[in-house]
């Protein structure tokens, strides 16, 4: 059993006594980090230059920071309410500010999206790797301390521990640790219990004896990081509707993180629960030339057989799919059973009729003891709002067991001794992920800018795309917004070329934008260009076509078909407008921690941000604000911003800017 401490300082003392002053500390991504313990290691290194500290981790989560005085007025109370007592990792804040001391290095293999673009230390020490390669990289860097936040419970008087949110890489590391331990190299496992961490089963269960040290004290039970649901706009919803039509009933679902993942889940729920409304929205958006693809690849009916989710990120909306009866196709860690199910007999139900059908799959005629035991016996990490963690904690034990937490080596790839089993389980797989940009030749840019600046990381995207090409009847679906607007300037996310690619063009498959679906698997370069031009924003189509013509990649007389020349935002608003008036496709379909005033203020600040990208634009916006007149309808929001009674000219100007934004956002 591990040695138990009630103080992180005493635990760090014990670790340093074991491993010495050179510490290579590995921690899981997201909420699986024991931040109080990490902060104590960092504090010691900051105070003692003799300690050489390397931290290897990913997705270090910091609370949002205001970028302007106005944003600060909105965010400060919201952060206090939503994030509560969450303990930030101090090393991440220092890395963000380029303030890490010389004896501390932080190596991240996935950065919080966009959060560290301005950090030289984060950019220099970023490790580009598939998640499936991280365990290997951690061992090669000489890891000697592995620290993990764990859930704890007592059953029949015995302590049980769970990796909770993050079995991900740690599960893959465990079998390697013993072989790496030598008299010259000690590897210490440290756990920190947390009352809010949901106790998950499957591969998340870990024997207490695996840990050398355990920190167990209620004073370290801070609020887990619980970001509020992001708002979903028209573009997100349109992409979600298209992507949901590509999912086949009875198949497998992998979904990425963010707004487009949320919009996909909402559209799947709508397809299943309000099928007529979903069909109407799909028809209103229009999918010229995609009817054959949808019939062959996806479907328009509710989910009679249900889906199996094999996904790296267990987001809170997947729990909604489970509750709605969409995620209900069970898989079994049994080759015998999966062979039987793949044959179509005896269906999804396993009963006494199962034994009679086993012979056809190669079992028997007399079952061995191992085969009988196998029959009898019968997501990787999560992140979400506070309510999501509470819902997981409150699941009945039998229902909790349906969510089999696994390591990335299982979820993100087919390789392994059980490859046939993984293939059988993942039938009709749809790997649906988000990308930032797509070139007209089919390459996708998801993690990094061509300057070399890392936005997030490769994560598992490459693995999932490659898996889609390896599995029979599987498809990779990359979702991308057709445009982006920054500093008041709108540009296309479909480009002729780009100086970096996360997914090479030879792995191109399906691309979805708010304007439709481009099936580019097995297409020539000319066919690929034509298909992607059809889903580009019409403001940029001709320029992109000219680039392709100049490169000799498309015939000189090619014209974009008329059916695809109305790809404008206004068409989307019109297509979904009547559905919105009926209550569908709202901004927060899964609820929000924000009040009505905060939602309106967030829209107002986004409006102002779009119109202050240059000195000239700021002057114009300030001039427009001088004509904005506060009214009774603004009173509550202005009070929330503490601008109801401005004290000086600056606050009077801020007040009028907010009024300008509120009026614009309400239109």
């Amino acid at each position: 059993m591990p040695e138990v401490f009630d103080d992180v300082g005493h635990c760090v003392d014990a670790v340093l006594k074991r491993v010495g002053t050179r510490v290579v500390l590995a921690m899981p991504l997201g909420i699986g980090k024991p931040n109080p313990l990490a902060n104590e290691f960092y504090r010691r290194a900051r105070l003692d230059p003799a300690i050489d500290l390397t931290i290897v981790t990913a997705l270090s989560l910091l609370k949002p920071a205001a970028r302007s005085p106005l944003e600060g007025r909105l965010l400060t109370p919201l952060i206090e309410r939503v994030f509560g007592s969450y303990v930030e990792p101090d090393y991440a804040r220092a890395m963000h500010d380029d303030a890490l001391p010389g004896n501390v290095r932080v190596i991240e293999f996935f950065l919080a999206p966009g959060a560290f673009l301005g950090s030289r230390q984060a950019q220099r020490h970023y490790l580009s790797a598939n998640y499936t390669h991280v365990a290997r990289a951690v061992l090669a860097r000489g890891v000697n301390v592995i620290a993990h936040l764990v859930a704890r419970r007592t059953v029949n008087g015995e302590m049980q521990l769970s990796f909770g949110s993050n079995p991900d890489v740690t599960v893959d590391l465990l079998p390697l640790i013993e072989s790496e331990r030598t008299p010259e190299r000690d590897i210490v496992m440290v756990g920190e219990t947390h009352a809010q961490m949901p106790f998950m089963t499957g591969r998340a269960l870990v024997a207490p004896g695996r840990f050398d040290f355990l920190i167990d004290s209620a004073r370290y039970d801070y609020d887990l990081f619980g970001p509020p649901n992001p708002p979903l706009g028209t573009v997100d919803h349109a992409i979600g509707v298209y992507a949901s039509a590509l999912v086949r009933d009875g198949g497998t679902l992998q979904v990425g993180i963010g707004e487009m993942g949320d919009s996909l889940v909402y559209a799947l729920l709508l397809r299943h629960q309000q099928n007529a409304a979903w069909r109407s929205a799909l028809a209103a958006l229009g999918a010229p030339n995609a009817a054959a693809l949808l019939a062959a690849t996806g479907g328009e009916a509710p989910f009679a057989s249900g889906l199996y989710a094999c996904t790296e990120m267990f987001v809170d909306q997947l729990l909604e799919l489970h509750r709605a009866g969409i995620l209900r196709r069970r898989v079994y860690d049994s080759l015998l059973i999966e062979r039987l199910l793949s044959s179509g007999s005896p269906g999804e139900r396993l009963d006494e009729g199962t034994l009679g059908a086993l012979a056809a799959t190669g079992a028997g005629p007399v079952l061995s003891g191992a085969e009988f035991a196998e029959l009898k016996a019968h997501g990787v990490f999560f992140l979400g709002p506070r309510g999501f963690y509470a819902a997981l904690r409150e699941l009945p034990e039998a229902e909790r067991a349906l969510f089999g937490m696994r390591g990335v080596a299982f979820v993100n790839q087919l390789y392994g001794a059980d490859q046939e089993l993984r293939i059988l389980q993942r039938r009709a797989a749809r790997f649906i992920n988000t990308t930032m940009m797509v070139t007209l030749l089919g390459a996708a840019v998801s993690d990094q800018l061509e300057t070399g600046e890392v936005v997030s990381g490769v994560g598992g995207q490459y693995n999932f795309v490659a898996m889609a090409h390896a599995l029979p009847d599987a498809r990779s679906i990359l979702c991308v917004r057709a445009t982006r607007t920054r500093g008041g300037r709108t540009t296309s996310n479909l480009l002729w070329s780009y100086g970096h690619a996360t997914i090479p063009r030879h792995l191109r498959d399906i691309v979805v934008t708010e304007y439709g679906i481009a099936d580019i698997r097995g297409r020539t370069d000319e066919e690929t260009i034509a298909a992607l031009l059809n889903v580009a924003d019409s403001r940029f189509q001709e320029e992109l076509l000219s680039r392709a013509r100049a490169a000799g990649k498309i015939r000189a007389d090619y014209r974009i078909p008329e059916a695809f020349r109305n790809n404008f935002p206004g068409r989307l608003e019109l297509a979904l407008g009547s559905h919105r008036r009926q209550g569908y496709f709202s901004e927060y379909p899964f609820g929000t921690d924000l009040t009505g005033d905060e939602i309106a203020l967030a829209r107002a600040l986004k409006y102002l941000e779009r119109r202050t990208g240059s000195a000239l634009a700021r002057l114009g916006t300030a001039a427009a604000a001088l004509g904005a007149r506060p009214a009774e309808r603004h009173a509550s929001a202005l009070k929330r911003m503490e601008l109801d009674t401005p004290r000086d000219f600056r606050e009077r100007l801020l007040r009028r800017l907010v009024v300008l934004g509120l009026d614009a956002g309400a239109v």
Side-chain angles (χ1 to χ4, degrees), residues 39 74 97 124 136 157 166 182 203 230 234 236 242 254 328 351 362-363 399 406 446 460 482 507 613 617 637 650:
N39 287 348
L74 174 62
D97 298 337
R124 283 169 46 216
R136 179 185 68 192
N166 287 80
T182 65
R203 298 299 193 276
T234 300
D236 303 313
Y242 285 128
Q254 180 266 324
R328 69 172 181 275
D351 53 25
E399 192 174 358
R406 305 293 293 257
S446 306
L507 291 179
R650 178 176 171 277

Side-chain angles (χ1 to χ4, degrees), residues 402-667:
L402 297 175
F403 299 95
M405 305 295 287
R406 305 293 293 257
V408 292
F410 176 87
V411 173
N412 291 33
Q413 63 187 10
L414 297 176
Y415 315 122
D418 58 350
Q419 182 168 329
E420 183 185 353
L421 174 64
R422 300 187 199 192
I423 291 171
L424 291 173
Q425 289 176 339
R426 299 171 200 199
R427 58 180 180 263
R430 300 293 178 264
F431 301 99
I432 306 177
N433 292 282
T434 299
T435 188
M436 299 187 300
M437 293 169 276
V438 173
T439 73
L440 285 193
L441 293 176
V445 182
S446 306
D447 66 315
Q448 177 185 299
L449 305 178
E450 61 185 349
T451 60
E453 291 178 287
V454 180
V455 177
S456 54
V458 177
Q461 187 173 107
Y462 180 90
N463 291 108
F464 290 123
V465 172
M467 208 185 321
H469 287 271
L471 281 167
D473 202 22
R475 300 303 299 264
S476 162
I477 301 163
L478 290 181
C479 301
V480 59
R481 297 179 180 89
T483 65
R484 66 183 179 277
T485 300
R486 186 173 184 180
R489 180 169 175 261
T490 299
T491 56
S492 177
N493 284 330
L494 276 72
L495 312 170
W496 168 242
S497 62
Y498 198 71
H500 168 73
T502 313
I503 305 300
R505 69 191 189 101
H506 68 270
L507 291 179
R508 57 197 182 198
D509 199 339
I510 293 175
V511 172
V512 175
T513 77
E514 63 267 35
Y515 297 117
I517 304 167
D519 182 7
I520 56 176
R521 176 188 280 194
R523 301 289 190 262
T524 66
D525 282 355
E526 184 174 52
E527 291 167 341
T528 297
I529 292 166
L532 288 171
L533 284 172
N534 289 345
V535 298
D537 189 290
S538 291
R539 290 169 288 181
F540 304 97
Q541 285 173 324
E542 287 301 324
E543 178 188 348
L544 291 168
L545 176 57
S546 296
R547 295 290 303 274
R549 283 178 182 148
K553 281 290 188 173
I554 198 166
R555 69 178 192 268
D557 63 346
Y558 180 80
R559 281 184 54 81
I560 297 167
E562 200 62 38
F564 302 100
R565 298 177 71 86
N566 189 29
N567 291 352
F568 295 104
R571 178 175 73 79
L572 301 177
E573 297 293 345
L574 187 63
L576 294 184
S578 62
H579 299 83
R580 279 203 159 123
R581 289 189 289 274
Q582 296 174 54
Y584 302 112
F585 303 111
S586 67
E587 194 173 13
Y588 294 96
F590 299 107
T592 178
D593 293 310
L594 278 65
T595 65
D597 282 338
E598 288 167 343
I599 292 172
L601 287 164
R603 291 194 201 115
L605 265 59
K606 283 185 179 178
Y607 171 84
L608 294 172
E609 182 182 15
R610 290 194 299 269
R611 280 153 181 80
T612 53
S614 66
L616 186 60
R618 286 192 289 274
L619 280 173
T621 302
L626 293 175
R629 294 288 183 267
E632 182 60 32
R633 66 180 180 277
H634 306 123
S636 180
L638 289 172
K639 184 175 182 180
R640 168 62 178 78
M641 296 288 280
E642 297 183 351
L643 291 171
D644 48 331
T645 55
R647 295 169 295 182
D648 51 30
F649 173 78
R650 178 176 171 277
E651 288 198 348
R652 285 194 293 273
L653 178 59
L654 290 178
R655 185 186 193 210
R656 296 207 173 196
L657 283 167
V658 170
V659 168
L660 178 69
L662 287 170
D663 286 343
V667 174

